[in-house]
Amino acid sequence: MRGVKRAARRDALPVTRSLRRRCPSLPMRRCAWPLLRLSARAGLALRHGGAIRLRLAAASSSSSSSSSGGGGGLRAPDTSLFVPVPLKPVEGAAEEDVGAELTRPLDKGEVLKNLNKFYKRKEIQRLGAENGLDARLFHQAFISFRKYIMESSSVSADLHIILNDICCGAGHVDDLFPFFLRHAKQIFPMLDCMDDLRKISDLRLPPNWYPEARAIQRKIIFHAGPTNSGKTYHAIQRFLTAKSGIYCGPLKLLAHEIFQKSNAANVPCDLVTGEERVYATEDARQASHIACTIEMCSTNTPYEVAVIDEIQMIRDPARGWAWTRALLGLCAEEIHVCGESAAIDLVTELMYTTGEEVEVRNYKRLTPLTVLDYALESLDNLQPGDCIVCFSKNDIYSVSRQIEARGLECAVIYGSLPPGTKLEQAKKFNDPNDPCKILVATDAIGMGLNLCIKRIIFNSIVKPTVNEKGEKEIDSITTSQALQIAGRAGRFGSSFKQGEVTTMHRDDLLQLKEILSESVPPVKAAGLHPTPEQIEMFAYHLPDATLSNLIDIFVSLSQVDGLYFVCNIDDFKFLADMIQHIPLNLRSRYVFCTAPLNRKEPFVCTTLLKFARQFSRNEPLTFDWLCRHTKWPLAPPKNIKELVHLEAVHDVFDLYLWLSYRFMDMFPDAALVRDIQKKLDDIIQIGVCNITKLIRASQSGERRGKSLRAYRSATRQEDLKSHGRGSLANRLLREGLLTQEMLRQLESEWQDQHRSGRYGLNPCPDSV
């Protein structure tokens, strides 16, 4: 230690001597000596042993990181996500420059040359890498460091002295590294807390997030089987006989169905969705049983029995986290899991990590399902009980019109329809006394609706999807999707004792058979999503980062083992970027970004933006405000475009109710909004019942539009063929703004003016 101190004093001597030579009359003030000692130590860090202290710090950080990572090494963070914090140059009076007072003003030209030398030094780049600065961050940090020094009217006294020594040859450019690193950590604060950020984003032990569930020994029962096998029925029977229970389903329709069945069986049950809580009793006391959408389940409330439906959705890239949370976190003595057998192995492995065993109960389909040897080929071959499955709205519109052109009525169901409209269309199709015997639907019928279907007909076996990069892709449906949809035919207890499945086109039938004959690939991983608490801890360390950037860095640093994956966060980031400019606290901003909406609907996205802006001003969003924004009341749609807009307005009402459930004071009129939403549902039902009329109106409107465009195009071409004033004259005559008599008079006046050379015109050559 004494040797190091002696070396520090020895390194300080040239600095002090050069300072005295340059400024012999300058008294060495008491405050200058600590600065000089700091300057010498900064130089020592690089001259003696090549930044021993910095290397030791890097080694210590590396060893602690590797130990926390289980010895397997850490994934390097994606530094392209690190957004530098702007650091403004110092703008102060010259008399405040202590460094210049101690030495002399800096020669900015010499400083720039030495800074560039510093940047090019390989040793400096290597030291930067050891301290977390890869090539990208090193370059950005240097540009900021150089700009800060060159544009500041003054810099700190210690940095000023070092720069002055380097310019005078009394120091080395390497001496700048501690100041450079300090600056880099100011603009990239994540460098100083990388270990903490890694710990926060360590997702390798999700079972530990739920101490209440780990405190009890749970019994896990997996009801495995295909569609229409009675697996959910058996789980629900146990739910109904329990003292307390919770049902967790993927759709509001499913939760609503269990809510109705339970109360009909004299088992009081509340309904909890993202938009509301419906109590079983009039006095609004919480019932012992709850039917909810899976995102809304409580992991703190104890139950005797819990039912998790459609467990295979634990692999869903967007919503899988909700099934993982329910499976690991529900505090229930018995957990009944229902779904495809492809999820058995994963659930068993997950429960092994919690020390819980899984009992598997296998079920077979209750009615036979036959793949026909022939395709439908023509809509003339339709039969009562047929359901044509399409994968786009345009196909829905086209097929339904062709069916009704043959004198047949059809019901229509697709994903963006309100739940009430879906139920009404299903009721119409199921009613044996209703003339509607054909159903045209998307894969929305795959779950949530009880339908009396005899035959499923795939209009196509390719489906548009969006990949991880957000790009549209067209690919064949998966075996799981095909089985889920085909399984809706021949429902147990309906008038059809067996189900049939085929395709519209002969060429698709062979491929469909191949898809259905394949085994469903096993579910390999469960989804995870950062929690609000984790993001808040991230924000504590990175207060200047945007929410979108926080999420990006979190995912970049996150560590998961082979049983899990981080869910897609594109929709979250889209909303975070959209409302970033609005002043909201972090928790409120997070809630707005988790709102369930389709970002492809501009009207809904715009409304969320307006909601957030009004919320930030602390102005309640009243019923009157919402009516003005949505132009309520609305009339029944006259064409498909108006129907689509009504569906978007319904989604806006859903969004209001969803936010009112979380911010009751700011969205106070939920009851009134719920009333007009029911009225809007009725209006949409009218439109869907008349969908073929709307299609005809839209198509006739398109034809009129095309005819008008063709007429205008022809008129423009005719005008272009004519020359001079004729083009304008013809147009004015057509529009009734000019008569033939007026035209002749204008021609006469124009010729007179042209001959006399008025308006700056030269006489015609042949009139000279």
Side-chain angles (χ1 to χ4, degrees):
M1 190 67 186
R2 290 176 181 173
V4 172
K5 289 182 178 178
R6 281 197 297 271
R9 284 196 294 269
R10 187 174 60 250
D11 275 44
L13 287 175
V15 180
T16 56
R17 286 170 182 166
S18 66
L19 181 59
R20 285 171 176 165
R21 280 198 305 270
R22 288 192 300 270
C23 310
S25 61
L26 179 68
M28 294 303 294
R29 300 181 185 178
R30 185 180 297 272
C31 65
W33 287 106
L35 296 177
L36 293 175
R37 287 198 292 271
L38 178 60
S39 168
R41 288 173 182 171
L44 175 67
L46 282 130
R47 291 181 211 160
H48 294 278
I52 297 170
R53 181 178 58 81
L54 293 170
R55 287 188 179 182
L56 285 174
S60 172
S61 172
S62 174
S63 64
S64 65
S65 298
S66 61
S67 63
S68 67
L74 295 176
R75 182 179 61 178
D78 182 0
T79 56
S80 65
L81 304 173
F82 293 3
V83 179
V85 176
L87 203 61
K88 293 182 179 179
V90 177
E91 296 178 357
E95 57 268 17
E96 297 176 4
D97 192 350
V98 177
E101 185 181 350
L102 290 173
T103 57
R104 65 177 183 179
L106 292 174
D107 182 345
K108 290 296 179 77
E110 284 297 318
V111 169
L112 180 59
K113 289 179 184 178
N114 285 292
L115 285 174
N116 290 336
K117 285 180 186 177
F118 170 82
Y119 175 71
K120 294 174 183 177
R121 295 265 301 163
K122 295 296 182 184
E123 293 85 352
I124 294 298
Q125 295 173 11
R126 179 167 45 79
L127 272 175
E130 289 177 4
N131 285 273
L133 293 168
D134 65 6
R136 181 197 301 271
L137 296 186
F138 183 85
H139 177 74
Q140 287 183 294
F142 173 74
I143 296 298
S144 175
F145 183 57
R146 184 176 64 184
K147 181 180 179 182
Y148 176 81
I149 291 175
M150 298 303 295
E151 295 184 5
S152 291
S153 59
S154 64
V155 294
S156 62
D158 51 354
L159 177 57
H160 185 108
I161 292 171
I162 290 293
L163 287 170
N164 199 63
D165 283 351
I166 293 170
C167 292
C168 295
H172 195 278
V173 290
D174 289 355
D175 297 350
L176 287 172
F177 185 78
F179 303 96
F180 167 73
L181 186 61
R182 182 174 67 187
H183 183 92
K185 289 182 176 181
Q186 284 180 294
I187 66 168
F188 294 116
M190 60 284 296
L191 294 174
D192 229 4
C193 54
M194 193 62 70
D195 284 348
D196 290 336
L197 297 180
R198 286 189 189 278
K199 288 175 184 176
I200 296 167
S201 57
D202 190 342
L203 307 180
R204 287 173 297 179
L205 294 171
N208 294 350
W209 303 349
Y210 308 103
E212 291 91 347
R214 300 292 76 78
I216 62 173
Q217 187 63 31
R218 307 181 306 168
K219 182 180 180 181
I220 313 297
I221 301 166
F222 196 124
H223 300 264
T227 305
N228 200 15
S229 61
K231 57 185 184 297
T232 307
Y233 170 81
H234 286 89
I236 293 302
Q237 291 305 112
R238 179 67 186 95
F239 168 81
L240 294 175
T241 58
K243 294 178 183 177
S244 62
I246 182 170
Y247 167 84
C248 308
L251 300 172
K252 285 185 281 187
L253 285 173
L254 285 170
H256 193 269
E257 180 185 347
I258 301 304
F259 165 72
Q260 289 183 321
K261 282 184 177 180
S262 186
N263 286 295
N266 294 319
V267 178
C269 179
D270 293 346
L271 174 67
V272 179
T273 66
E275 293 81 30
E276 62 179 335
R277 179 170 188 142
V278 180
Y279 292 95
T281 57
E282 293 182 359
D283 57 359
R285 284 185 302 169
Q286 292 188 13
S288 58
H289 287 66
I290 289 175
C292 66
T293 47
I294 194 158
E295 287 87 352
M296 298 302 295
C297 71
S298 168
T299 58
N300 300 317
T301 308
Y303 301 100
E304 183 184 350
V305 170
V307 177
I308 304 174
D309 207 357
E310 305 294 351
I311 188 61
Q312 71 276 1
M313 289 190 71
I314 201 169
R315 68 182 165 205
D316 187 85
R319 298 178 65 200
W321 62 270
W323 276 263
T324 305
R325 175 176 171 270
L327 181 62
L328 297 177
L330 281 172
C331 292
E333 297 170 23
E334 292 180 26
I335 307 280
H336 290 258
V337 178
C338 308
E340 296 176 359
S341 56
I344 292 176
D345 289 346
L346 177 64
V347 170
T348 303
E349 286 190 64
L350 292 176
M351 294 301 96
Y352 178 78
T353 64
T354 65
E356 295 161 335
E357 294 183 1
V358 179
E359 176 189 336
V360 179
R361 298 178 185 175
N362 289 297
Y363 299 81
K364 292 184 179 179
R365 186 178 166 85
L366 297 173
T367 57
L369 179 65
T370 306
V371 182
L372 301 178
D373 293 326
Y374 55 88
L376 188 70
E377 298 194 87
S378 171
L379 294 176
D380 295 328
N381 299 324
L382 286 172
Q383 301 170 3
D386 280 349
C387 172
I388 302 177
V389 177
C390 307
F391 293 111
S392 73
K393 271 191 183 180
N394 288 336
D395 288 346
I396 290 271
Y397 300 150
S398 173
V399 171
S400 59
R401 180 163 187 197
Q402 291 177 57
I403 290 171
E404 296 211 0
R406 289 165 168 77
L408 302 172
E409 279 194 44
C410 68
V412 174
I413 296 174
Y414 51 87
S416 58
L417 283 177
T421 303
K422 290 177 186 173
L423 289 171
E424 282 300 315
Q425 289 292 296
K427 182 179 177 182
K428 179 181 178 183
F429 173 71
N430 290 337
D431 187 353
N433 300 318
D434 196 291
C436 173
K437 302 299 179 187
I438 309 296
L439 174 63
V440 183
T442 63
D443 52 349
I445 63 163
M447 61 178 71
L449 292 167
N450 292 320
L451 298 162
C452 297
I453 299 171
K454 178 185 179 183
R455 180 170 60 173
I456 289 283
I457 302 156
F458 284 91
N459 188 57
S460 169
I461 56 171
V462 295
K463 179 182 179 180
T465 57
V466 178
N467 65 18
E468 295 177 353
K469 297 179 181 178
E471 301 165 339
K472 284 188 177 180
E473 292 180 344
I474 303 292
D475 201 359
S476 298
I477 55 175
T478 65
T479 300
S480 178
Q481 291 169 336
L483 288 171
Q484 186 83 18
I485 297 167
R488 308 305 289 177
R491 175 174 163 266
F492 180 75
S494 71
S495 55
F496 303 111
K497 302 304 179 187
Q498 71 174 44
E500 298 172 345
V501 59
T502 187
T503 59
M504 177 66 72
H505 308 289
R506 190 186 308 172
D507 296 341
D508 292 337
L509 186 56
L510 181 60
Q511 189 175 354
L512 177 64
K513 287 183 176 180
E514 290 177 359
I515 292 171
L516 290 172
S517 65
E518 295 173 357
S519 58
V520 179
V523 180
K524 295 182 179 179
L528 295 173
H529 192 281
T531 65
E533 292 76 20
Q534 289 169 326
I535 298 304
E536 280 183 341
M537 285 192 285
F538 247 58
Y540 172 79
H541 288 288
L542 306 174
D544 296 308
T546 65
L547 180 55
S548 177
N549 191 227
L550 285 174
I551 288 285
D552 273 335
I553 296 173
F554 185 97
V555 173
S556 169
L557 294 176
S558 64
Q559 301 171 73
V560 294
D561 65 23
L563 295 177
Y564 301 96
F565 68 93
V566 179
C567 284
N568 190 308
I569 54 170
D570 288 346
D571 288 346
F572 185 99
K573 285 177 54 186
F574 172 82
L575 296 180
D577 288 333
M578 187 175 74
I579 65 171
Q580 179 55 42
H581 64 285
I582 298 174
L584 295 169
N585 64 57
L586 184 67
R587 183 58 71 116
S588 299
R589 189 181 298 278
Y590 185 94
V591 170
F592 271 90
C593 293
T594 55
L597 58 80
N598 184 355
R599 59 174 170 165
K600 295 178 183 176
E601 295 179 351
F603 182 71
V604 183
C605 293
T606 303
T607 303
L608 178 70
L609 191 62
K610 292 180 179 179
F611 282 173
R613 189 175 290 120
Q614 190 92 341
F615 183 93
S616 71
R617 298 173 187 147
N618 206 29
E619 297 175 4
L621 290 106
T622 63
F623 176 74
D624 292 337
W625 184 95
L626 187 64
C627 288
R628 285 196 304 274
H629 173 71
T630 57
K631 299 180 180 177
W632 180 265
L634 297 164
K638 299 184 180 67
N639 52 49
I640 291 295
K641 184 178 179 181
E642 291 184 6
L643 176 61
V644 170
H645 177 69
L646 292 181
E647 292 168 5
V649 174
H650 193 280
D651 287 346
V652 166
F653 292 165
D654 259 348
L655 179 61
Y656 183 97
L657 295 172
W658 189 89
L659 289 166
S660 73
Y661 194 67
R662 290 149 182 82
F663 305 112
M664 295 181 186
D665 294 341
M666 296 301 294
F667 296 83
D669 296 328
L672 295 172
V673 173
R674 200 168 284 115
D675 289 340
I676 63 172
Q677 189 180 43
K678 290 175 182 175
K679 294 177 182 177
L680 178 59
D681 207 331
D682 294 337
I683 295 171
I684 292 174
Q685 287 176 37
I686 294 170
V688 173
C689 290
N690 299 319
I691 195 164
T692 52
K693 294 179 182 177
L694 303 186
I695 295 168
R696 283 197 294 271
S698 297
Q699 290 177 342
S700 64
E702 287 176 6
R703 282 196 294 271
R704 284 197 301 272
K706 287 179 181 177
S707 300
L708 183 59
R709 285 194 294 272
Y711 169 75
R712 287 174 176 169
S713 177
T715 303
R716 280 196 297 271
Q717 290 175 1
E718 182 182 333
D719 289 346
L720 288 171
K721 288 178 183 177
S722 60
H723 56 84
R725 64 188 178 281
S727 174
L728 176 62
N730 288 338
R731 190 158 63 251
L732 292 173
L733 285 169
R734 279 196 310 273
E735 295 174 2
L737 300 174
L738 193 66
T739 64
Q740 290 291 345
E741 179 62 33
M742 292 167 66
L743 181 61
R744 282 193 291 271
Q745 185 177 351
L746 285 171
E747 285 178 345
S748 175
E749 290 179 2
W750 187 84
Q751 288 172 356
D752 291 343
Q753 292 165 356
H754 187 67
R755 290 193 193 98
S756 63
R758 289 175 64 186
Y759 303 117
L761 294 172
N762 294 323
C764 296
D766 49 358
S767 66
V768 176

